[in-house]
Amino acid sequence: MRARLAILAALVLPVAGGCAWRGPESAMGPDGPDLAETIAALPALELPPPPGHAPSREEVMAAYQRVYGRLPDPRDDRAVGKRLADLEMSVGEDRAIAGGDAAFEGAIALYESLLDRPGEDQDHILYQLARAHDLSGHTAASLGYLDRLIAEHPHSAYLPEARFRRAEIHFAAGRYREAQADYEFVVAQGGETPYWLNASYMNGWAEFKLAELDRALTSFFTVMDATVGRHDVEQLAPSERELVNDALRVVTLALGYLDGPDTLARRMAALERPAWQYLVYRALADDYLARERYLDSVATWQSYIDQNPLDPRAPSAHLGMIDTLVAADFPTEVPAKKRAFVEGYGIQSEFWQVHGPDVRAAYLEPLQGFLVELAKAGHAEAQASGEPAAFLDAARWYEELVQTFPDLPATAEYLFLLGEAYTEAGEPARAVAAYQRVMREFPDYPDAHEAGYAAILGLDRMVQQAAPDERELWRRVKIDAQIEFAFLFAGDPRAPEAQADAADALFALGEYEHAVELAGNLLSAWPDLAWNLRRTALSIQGHGQFELGRYPAAEAAYRALLSGPLTADERPDVEERLLAAVYKQGEAADEAGDAEAAVAHYLRLAEIAPGAELAIRGHYDAVAVTEAAGETARAATLLAAFRDAHPDHALARDAAKRLAAMHEQTGDATAAAREYLTVAAEDPDGEVRRLSLYRAAELYLAECELQAAADGFREYAQRFPEPAEERLEAVHHLDALYQELGEPDRRRHWLEQKIEIHRDMGTNASPRATYLAAEAQFRLAEEARAVFDAVRLVHPLKASLQRKQEALQAAVTAFEQAAGYRVAEFTTASTFRIATLFTDLSSAILGSDRPEGLSELEQAQYEILLEEQAFPFEEKAIALHEINMRRSWDGLWDSWIEQSFAELGRLMPARFQRQEMEIAYVESIR
């Protein structure tokens, strides 16, 4: 130990002070007192130096020896002696350095002689004597002079070195307490003394030897702080590195006797964790490791990490801990430490955020290795346990691995494994993100297509698990993933199915344009597409084009579908869709004003499916379009064909009505009448039946189809007693028709019906009904008059006259009934007819056959009797004609009144012809 300490002192002291014994600079220069000044102070001698010659040390010493002891001034003589001693000292030092025998006797003798000659530099003489004896190996003598120097000159500039030298002697002799006291004195002088560092170092040793371990640590830590400071130990000089290493060895020993890392942690905390603390922790950990105290070594590293988590060397400490556990063969402890390493220094850690790339570069390689190990080991454990939490843990490491090292050749594989881990953990969203990174960032990765498909499966799970308000969003994300997969990996056998599903989903979302485009691409990109996918694509195209209003394209898609192997259940639906597409083309053409095209589309529906409801509807609509276009005749033809083809269809119920109207419009009254008869027979609405029957009869009448018209009016009159007014009109038509047809008996029946209808109306009878009843009655009266006219008065007169009178009475009654309706036309006519009946009867009586065989007188008497019988009737006739005449006074005038005037003029010419002249005169006067 003494030899090592001596070597250390020899190494350190020259660095600190320039030589082993140097003294204070204020008392001694590098070569002692200034030689020129000393020579100048000597008496003049006859020994001048040769010109240009610099004296050597030996020449100077010889000069000093010649004058020493001879100078009159004691102070000068003492100064020469001191200088001579110093020169002797230097000679001995040179010999020692050169490896020769160190001879300091001359110097010692000179210095001791100077002690007897007092002076102000006695401390210097004592210092040199101690130094000379020490160099000569006379430790005891050196110690004695040091003791005198220290005791006699407490304020000497040599005191720090003197106490340091004495401490060295005490330490070497094992007197550690004495040595410690001197070292502490030197240390107390501060860092300005060149012996402070060595004193601090040796003081630590002394305290260590005295078992004052805490104090020893303080001393050694002071040395560490002064030597290493904030510099790397590798930057120190060799002697300083040796000093630091030896200090660390002693510190390690001291900590070993104390609480090891706990003590160290407390001390470093008290020192505010100096930069060099890592060297101490490392030395302690290495010492434990060397002594196979593995757990203590690990604890030391852990303590450093705990105390300095953000220190740049913390990762190194952590690696040291892991290396120790590996060396100690503690495999179960290693994974946890590796995990802690990643957590403490990985990309998610505070450490990573605090430090830059230069610090991270030192531990990236092990960090990568640990992440790979943790991820793969965690994945294997998760697969064994099947626990979602375990898969999440593995995913965590994969996530951090690819985030920290995105450019690794195996990044694609790690991302794929990350996706698998998230999938098994029940985290489809995260899995999808990982898979899609593989697909997009590493398209050349052999399993990139598997990643793409796995993303689709993950998104499908997300759609199923999504809340209702989020489901559409995830459905759209899945669609995008399917499209991307199909385009990136078109060679994958699952690509067509993915694209077909995407197109189908787009259609379900109402994205018809995109869906149709995607389905079209599917059909063109894969010409040999399996039928189930081809069916899907064609269906999307058909339905999508239909929704977009592109009906010809939709029709083409549906026809393509029908050309494929559809099942019996599928075909009707496609046919219905095809019909709808064609039907919509008809509607579109109709809206565009192209009636011809619209009709063509509507009618070709029957070519696709003749009995289909939409085909029936199309045929019906074709009728409407044609009719709206003004092609009524064609519309009627189409409607008739529709009724013939679908007689029981609901739309055919009104066919007869429409056809009737169309035929009327085109002027085909007969055809219209036939349709009205059909309506009258079949329509569920009684009012419609009534009106239709009447209209049919009217149309037949207009076309002069008298029998058909009569049949129609007759049926109407028989079936519809109400409303009475219309029935009366029908009966009136029958009256005229049967008159035209020459069927008087039938006519008479309907004349009587008119009268009966009027009678049934009672007080509610309209003027029209009254007129027609009056007219009918007048016609019947005319028939009665004809009967009267037909009866001739023949012998026997009595018998024929009776018949004539009966006919008269019947006719008069009939005309009276006609007049009873108070219809002016028939009242005047009836009045006139009754009057003429009487006139005609009078004339008939007068013109009747005379009995044969009468004498002249008897004949004259007979004539008188006839005149007496006829005259009242003529008087009655005149009275009736006068009634008509008086009606003219009330402003009524018609042909019957006019005829009455004529009859009155005939019957009573004197009176009525004059009256007429008077009237004419009056009128002319007016």
Side-chain angles (χ1 to χ4, degrees), residues 190-212:
E192 294 183 359
T193 175
Y195 303 100
W196 176 83
L197 179 62
N198 292 71
S200 297
Y201 169 76
M202 293 306 300
N203 187 42
W205 266 110
E207 290 163 340
F208 178 80
K209 292 293 186 179
L210 292 170
E212 297 177 358

Side-chain angles (χ1 to χ4, degrees), residues 33 37-43 45 60-87 109-122 125:
E37 293 179 357
T38 302
I39 296 299
L42 295 177
L45 299 174
V60 173
M61 289 176 65
Y64 282 139
Q65 288 172 351
R66 286 195 293 274
V67 300
Y68 177 56
R70 298 181 178 85
L71 296 175
D73 188 337
R75 290 181 300 172
D76 294 339
D77 192 57
R78 189 177 184 281
V80 171
K82 179 186 174 187
R83 181 56 179 152
L84 183 58
D86 290 340
L87 290 172
L110 286 170
Y111 285 130
E112 288 180 344
S113 68
L114 292 173
L115 287 177
D116 298 332
R117 304 171 70 176
E120 295 179 357
D121 55 355
Q122 284 294 90
I125 302 303

Side-chain angles (χ1 to χ4, degrees), residues 211-446:
E212 297 177 358
L213 302 180
D214 282 326
R215 297 184 64 184
L217 288 175
T218 299
S219 296
F220 284 120
F221 290 157
T222 299
V223 172
M224 292 292 296
D225 197 60
T227 307
V228 181
R230 296 189 180 277
H231 301 289
D232 191 336
V233 70
E234 299 300 326
Q235 296 175 346
L236 300 176
S239 58
E240 290 176 323
R241 283 202 301 273
E242 182 66 24
L243 180 66
V244 169
N245 291 336
D246 200 69
L248 289 172
R249 189 173 65 83
V250 183
V251 166
T252 299
L253 292 173
L255 291 172
Y257 291 118
L258 296 171
D259 292 331
D262 293 339
T263 299
L264 178 58
R266 287 194 301 273
R267 296 304 298 270
M268 292 299 99
L271 292 173
E272 298 181 350
R273 297 183 177 86
W276 47 266
Q277 64 173 327
Y278 177 77
L279 299 176
V280 184
Y281 276 101
R282 184 176 65 184
L284 181 60
D286 289 347
D287 179 70
Y288 282 139
L289 180 62
R291 290 186 285 147
E292 297 185 353
R293 292 177 59 180
Y294 301 114
L295 296 181
D296 288 334
S297 179
V298 170
T300 300
W301 285 124
Q302 188 63 59
S303 178
Y304 178 80
I305 295 167
D306 293 342
Q307 297 297 316
N308 307 277
L310 299 179
D311 187 89
R313 290 161 295 190
S316 179
H318 208 121
L319 291 172
M321 182 167 51
I322 293 172
D323 290 342
T324 298
L325 289 172
V326 172
D329 196 18
F330 290 157
T332 58
E333 301 293 329
V334 172
K337 295 300 180 184
K338 290 181 177 179
R339 184 187 191 105
F341 184 90
V342 175
E343 292 172 343
Y345 315 111
I347 197 168
Q348 304 299 330
S349 67
E350 182 183 4
F351 188 92
W352 186 280
Q353 306 305 319
V354 169
H355 297 289
D358 53 336
V359 173
R360 299 178 204 147
Y363 66 88
L364 285 181
E365 184 176 350
L367 176 65
Q368 175 189 333
F370 294 162
L371 280 170
V372 172
E373 288 182 35
L374 288 169
K376 291 189 173 181
H379 203 160
E381 291 173 5
Q383 290 173 330
S385 69
E387 292 295 328
F391 282 107
L392 280 176
D393 194 56
R396 169 191 174 187
W397 303 125
Y398 283 126
E399 193 87 61
E400 191 161 339
L401 178 60
V402 297
Q403 186 180 1
T404 309
F405 304 99
D407 298 326
L408 290 177
T411 296
E413 178 184 356
Y414 297 145
L415 281 170
F416 191 89
L417 294 172
L418 172 63
E420 288 187 338
Y422 275 136
T423 299
E424 295 296 333
E427 293 285 344
R430 294 180 175 180
V432 167
Y435 287 135
Q436 289 187 332
R437 283 195 62 189
V438 174
M439 179 178 64
R440 294 167 182 169
E441 298 177 20
F442 304 94
D444 295 332
Y445 177 61

Side-chain angles (χ1 to χ4, degrees), residues 508-738:
L509 290 171
E511 299 283 350
Y512 304 123
E513 189 73 59
H514 198 180
V516 166
E517 180 183 356
L518 203 59
N521 176 267
L522 181 66
L523 293 169
S524 61
W526 289 278
D528 299 328
L529 199 62
W531 168 245
N532 64 319
L533 298 181
R534 184 176 183 81
R535 179 187 57 205
T536 298
L538 288 171
S539 297
I540 292 169
Q541 281 205 317
H543 302 344
Q545 298 286 20
F546 188 93
E547 294 295 337
L548 291 169
R550 302 168 186 162
Y551 305 117
E555 178 185 354
Y558 291 136
R559 289 190 181 278
L561 266 175
L562 288 171
S563 67
L566 293 175
T567 66
D569 293 335
E570 293 171 334
R571 186 167 292 277
D573 180 64
V574 178
E575 287 180 348
E576 187 67 25
R577 295 277 188 172
L578 175 59
L579 289 170
V582 176
Y583 184 85
K584 284 292 185 179
Q585 291 178 65
E587 284 188 329
D590 186 21
E591 291 174 5
D594 190 347
E596 190 64 33
V599 170
H601 287 308
Y602 285 140
L603 293 180
R604 68 190 181 93
L605 290 167
E607 300 172 6
I608 301 170
E613 181 62 27
L614 205 54
I616 296 171
R617 167 69 67 176
H619 191 155
Y620 192 77
D621 289 346
V623 175
V625 171
T626 307
E627 185 177 15
E631 299 180 41
T632 310
R634 184 184 180 194
T637 302
L638 288 172
L639 183 56
F642 176 85
R643 184 174 59 183
D644 292 343
H646 314 289
D648 299 325
H649 196 276
L651 293 175
R653 291 172 186 169
D654 292 332
K657 288 183 197 175
R658 292 183 65 190
L659 281 168
M662 290 178 185
H663 288 316
E664 276 201 80
Q665 188 176 351
T666 59
D668 191 348
T670 301
R674 285 197 296 269
E675 295 299 335
Y676 279 126
L677 287 177
T678 301
V679 176
E682 299 175 356
D683 198 272
D685 189 329
E687 182 67 7
V688 173
R689 292 197 299 273
R690 183 183 70 80
L691 294 174
S692 298
L693 182 57
Y694 194 92
R695 184 57 180 159
E698 284 183 323
L699 290 171
Y700 277 130
L701 182 60
E703 290 296 297
C704 295
E705 296 187 29
L706 302 183
Q707 188 59 57
D711 293 342
F713 283 125
R714 184 181 66 251
E715 183 179 355
Y716 181 89
Q718 292 170 348
R719 286 174 58 188
F720 302 106
E722 296 293 337
E725 293 285 351
E726 280 78 356
R727 181 167 183 262
L728 181 60
E729 294 294 336
V731 170
H732 180 59
H733 282 302
L734 287 168
D735 169 20
L737 284 167
Y738 283 122

Side-chain angles (χ1 to χ4, degrees), residues 865-879:
L865 287 174
L866 287 177
E867 289 177 358
E868 288 177 352
Q869 288 290 324
F871 181 75
F873 290 105
E874 186 173 313
E875 288 292 320
K876 193 78 166 178
I878 291 170

